Amino acid sequence: MSNPPERFAAEAPAAAAEAAPKTADVKLTGVAAITLAVIASCELVLMLDATIMNVALPEIRGGLGFTPAGLSWVTNAFLLAYAGLMLLGGRAGDILGHRRVFLTGMVLFTAASLLGGLAPSPEVLIIARAAQGLGAALAAPSTLALLTTNFQGGLQAKALERV
């Protein structure tokens, strides 16, 4: 007599769980740990930048002479470029390579951050914020792709658990 199908369905996940390495047994060391730290910290900087400017807006208004209506563009220029170009950034990573697009996005983001920090006028700051959004739109979609391609098996589970 054969076993009911319900018994096999209950045994399959248990057998798979026993065969898979436990993430607690896997250690991220050396290059893998550095890679994970770089990718995670870059993603943190990109996400933090979307909101951190709200803290500095009163000082920016006084320092560069923004109007109240113009001040909203400091935040909106970044968010519009970031949200509007994120699909393009993901597709560019698929075609050109995720590492290349990630690095290009981070270099653009960093250069635009420097330009924004040294901006002599409201127009330059808004252009710098839009360029930051473009850099973030290039880099952000590639972070998860880099995590899944650079880490395999138990290391991948450990890397995704840490992010």
Side-chain angles (χ1 to χ4, degrees):
M1 184 160 220
S2 67
N3 292 330
E6 295 83 24
R7 183 169 178 223
F8 289 123
E11 291 175 359
E18 289 175 11
K22 305 239 185 293
T23 57
D25 299 337
V26 177
K27 301 287 184 202
L28 286 170
T29 58
V31 175
I34 292 170
T35 301
L36 179 61
V38 168
I39 292 171
S41 62
C42 288
E43 184 66 22
L44 173 69
V45 167
L46 296 176
M47 294 300 106
L48 190 62
D49 195 64
T51 57
I52 195 107
M53 288 298 288
N54 291 329
V55 174
L57 287 178
E59 188 68 29
I60 291 170
R61 180 178 181 199
L64 292 177
F66 270 97
T67 65
L71 196 59
S72 67
W73 280 104
V74 174
T75 303
N76 292 339
F78 175 83
L79 293 174
L80 284 170
Y82 180 51
L85 298 172
M86 190 173 293
L87 288 175
L88 176 68
R91 185 64 181 145
D94 291 340
I95 294 170
L96 302 172
H98 295 290
R99 183 173 181 255
R100 178 182 295 163
V101 173
F102 175 76
L103 291 174
T104 302
M106 288 308 298
V107 166
L108 177 60
F109 181 85
T110 304
S113 296
L114 179 63
L115 178 64
L118 300 174
S121 68
E123 295 81 15
V124 173
L125 180 59
I126 291 172
I127 290 168
R129 291 290 291 164
Q132 279 181 314
L134 172 60
L138 291 173
S142 294
T143 56
L144 186 59
L146 287 171
L147 286 176
T148 57
T149 57
N150 285 322
F151 300 97
Q152 300 299 318
L155 281 177
Q156 186 180 68
K158 188 65 131 177
L160 292 173
E161 172 184 293
R162 303 271 175 160
V163 174

